[in-house]
Amino acid sequence: MTKTDPLERYNAMRDFAKTAEPRGEIGKGEGRTFMVQKHDATRLHWDFRLEVDGVLKSWAVTRGPSLDPGEKRLAVRTEDHPMSYATFEGTIPKGEYGGGTVMLWDRGTWAPVPGKSAKDLDKGHLHFTLDGERMKGEWLLIRLKPRAGEKRENWLLRKIDDAHAGATDALVETGLTSVASGRTMQEIAEGVKPSPRRRAGAPGGGA
């Protein structure tokens, strides 16, 4: 029996002669990388990605992650992405799938809480911790009950009440520059070269 390629859909949706996005190839090893890419496509959203089994499991968070445990943010499951996508920042050409500006908004490592594992995703939930430059502490992903005619899985992303929680939207409101290049969305769109003097921790760069 032929093993299904988890990146088949990713590759089929893109024309790599037109987009600078990396071609999908499964990574090696079992890592714990996570990243978030702010993506100004048809609608602004934040792509949340967790490394599982050599690929990036991905969700589009329409309003961005919130530090408020009372906020349940819609996270629409999208196709798995290759590990090489973890460092992608730039502009996807207009007319191509996901056309628009992409910023590397956060990055770090993740781990399931004790007693849990990445296999819980198959059951429709995941309780995990993040150690990123912006997102930290405990978080929860829960799949909503499927509805008739639903084309994609709808999940909720929620912050667990811990030392990193707060009743604010500080992550989205103050995280306005790339953690990799220090550039704003407009500067990335305009192709401004990254400056080594600018860091994500500069004013407007971090939560």
Side-chain angles (χ1 to χ4, degrees), residues 82-93:
M83 287 304 305
S84 52
Y85 212 93
T87 56
F88 177 72
E89 181 172 278
T91 301
I92 301 171

Side-chain angles (χ1 to χ4, degrees), residues 173-200:
E173 292 176 353
T174 66
L176 302 178
T177 56
S178 163
V179 294
S181 66
R183 296 180 295 175
T184 63
M185 291 291 278
Q186 182 175 345
E187 287 171 335
I188 295 170
E190 293 174 351
V192 175
K193 297 294 184 182
S195 169
R197 291 175 297 176
R198 295 183 59 182
R199 299 179 60 85

Side-chain angles (χ1 to χ4, degrees), residues 30-110:
E30 176 64 18
R32 284 283 181 259
T33 296
F34 96 90
M35 78 287 313
V36 182
Q37 280 150 319
K38 187 176 180 180
H39 189 177
D40 189 7
T42 304
R43 180 178 179 181
L44 180 65
H45 62 276
W46 284 252
D47 288 312
F48 179 71
R49 312 190 198 281
L50 298 174
E51 178 184 356
V52 179
D53 295 333
V55 298
L56 297 172
K57 301 295 182 183
S58 302
W59 293 260
V61 184
T62 53
R63 293 171 58 203
S66 172
L67 292 174
D68 186 351
E71 281 285 326
K72 299 175 182 178
R73 293 293 167 87
L74 178 65
V76 181
R77 185 79 176 265
T78 61
E79 72 278 7
D80 293 347
H81 282 53
M83 287 304 305
S84 52
Y85 212 93
T87 56
F88 177 72
E89 181 172 278
T91 301
I92 301 171
K94 185 177 181 180
E96 295 303 298
Y97 173 74
T101 304
V102 178
M103 170 197 287
L104 187 55
W105 186 83
D106 199 9
R107 60 187 173 186
T109 58
W110 78 279

